[in-house]
Amino acid sequence: MNNFSRLIFLVTAFIYLFHISLASIVSTGDFNKDFPVITWSPSHVNTSADGHTRSLIFDKESGSGIASNDTYLFGQFDMKIKLIPGNSAGTVVAFYLTSYQPNRDEVDFEFLGNVPGKPYTLQTNVYVDGLDDREQRINLWFDPTQDFHTYSILWNLHQIVFMVDRVPIRTYRNHADKGAKYPRWQPMGLQISIWNGETWATDGGKTKIDWSKAPFVASLGNYTIDACVWQGNARFCRGESETNWWNKEKFSTLTWTQRRLFKWVRKYHLTYDYCMDNQRFQNNLPIECSLPKY
């Protein structure tokens, strides 16, 4: 390699690394800066003076929702949420990534309200290329209305991991090489919303919203977005680097400790898994159901 070629190589490498560093973000912790978009009913969104906490309100007039300023391709997204206290039957609080496309990719946490004394149900779902039907449900092992808990999505080239207070409750692996669809091309924005799901959310829609308990309030606290901001070129987000730490080999599967916790959740708290619903799929379960979870 002559000196000129070496110079071109070094300049190209520098530009590539510079773009990677620009592409990744550690969030500010200020809802006003990272979530400036009110997607639904500004009068039903309250933010603290320092921007560090925010409340979403739902009543007979309207629900509410917010969205991130950026879209991302891979990363980890942590949000502290305190759910609706008391009788929350029929309500849904959602924390999710979505690509905003007709054939959208989406990764969902949906918290399904309930009557006092019964557990909150946490439903997760994955849309790939516009198709879903990948629901799983667990009953949380604590009261999520008494304090803030951290709900996380790790999304990388290898897997999606849903976590509750760092406990992995679900994985969705990249088995694209075996014919299973995986969200890996479309950048996604982060959204949080509260809305009316009384036709299905509680007891299959049998238990309706008690409007005498309104307004219903979900509280959002500290959050972290450590992800690759979409700038129009997927290769900056797909590379493995110190900045794009989530793509490193060590995050390609669950650790030994995570596997133990994952099995514990599935044994004691799982209430529905689409991969066990042969009747729904007429004994033709989606291909990923027969493939490894980690």
Side-chain angles (χ1 to χ4, degrees), residues 178-194:
K178 299 178 178 66
K181 291 181 178 292
Y182 186 81
R184 52 184 173 149
W185 301 109
Q186 298 187 56
M188 294 194 274
L190 195 58
Q191 293 202 16
I192 308 103
S193 59
I194 183 172

Side-chain angles (χ1 to χ4, degrees), residues 39-231:
T39 59
W40 189 10
S41 191
S43 64
H44 287 57
V45 177
N46 292 334
T47 308
S48 63
D50 62 6
H52 291 170
T53 60
R54 180 171 278 182
S55 297
L56 302 183
I57 300 166
F58 169 47
D59 57 23
K60 262 192 170 182
E61 177 187 337
S62 179
S64 55
I66 62 174
S68 62
N69 192 48
D70 295 303
T71 56
Y72 315 94
L73 188 64
F74 307 128
Q76 182 161 314
F77 310 85
D78 305 323
M79 180 65 65
K80 284 189 176 292
I81 304 174
K82 183 162 67 173
L83 294 170
I84 303 164
N87 189 342
S88 58
T91 67
V92 178
V93 176
F95 166 53
Y96 60 104
L97 290 162
T98 183
S99 67
Y100 305 111
Q101 302 298 322
N103 60 327
R104 77 184 187 275
D105 291 343
E106 191 167 294
V107 181
D108 298 341
F109 275 109
E110 292 178 316
F111 303 92
L112 312 183
N114 217 330
V115 295
K118 290 189 176 182
Y120 245 93
T121 293
L122 169 53
Q123 175 171 285
T124 57
N125 200 357
V126 178
Y127 287 71
V128 188
D129 200 24
L131 301 176
D132 63 339
D133 291 339
R134 295 180 175 90
E135 300 94 341
Q136 288 187 10
R137 292 184 178 186
I138 67 166
N139 286 334
L140 293 169
W141 53 91
F142 52 85
D143 184 346
T145 72
Q146 293 299 304
D147 204 351
F148 287 94
H149 292 267
T150 303
Y151 304 92
S152 306
I153 299 168
L154 170 65
W155 171 37
N156 61 32
L157 287 166
H158 314 286
Q159 62 178 347
I160 296 168
V161 184
F162 297 82
M163 292 174 280
V164 176
D165 292 333
R166 304 303 179 202
V167 175
I169 64 165
R170 178 180 181 178
T171 63
Y172 186 85
R173 291 197 60 76
N174 183 353
H175 290 300
D177 60 334
K178 299 178 178 66
K181 291 181 178 292
Y182 186 81
R184 52 184 173 149
W185 301 109
Q186 298 187 56
M188 294 194 274
L190 195 58
Q191 293 202 16
I192 308 103
S193 59
I194 183 172
W195 41 280
N196 187 337
E198 68 175 358
T199 60
W200 64 277
T202 308
D203 299 326
K206 295 177 183 177
T207 304
K208 306 298 183 180
I209 293 174
D210 181 354
W211 291 110
S212 71
K213 305 301 182 183
F216 304 99
V217 180
S219 302
L220 311 176
N222 292 337
Y223 63 89
T224 302
I225 302 170
D226 196 352
C228 188
V229 177
W230 178 250
Q231 297 181 341

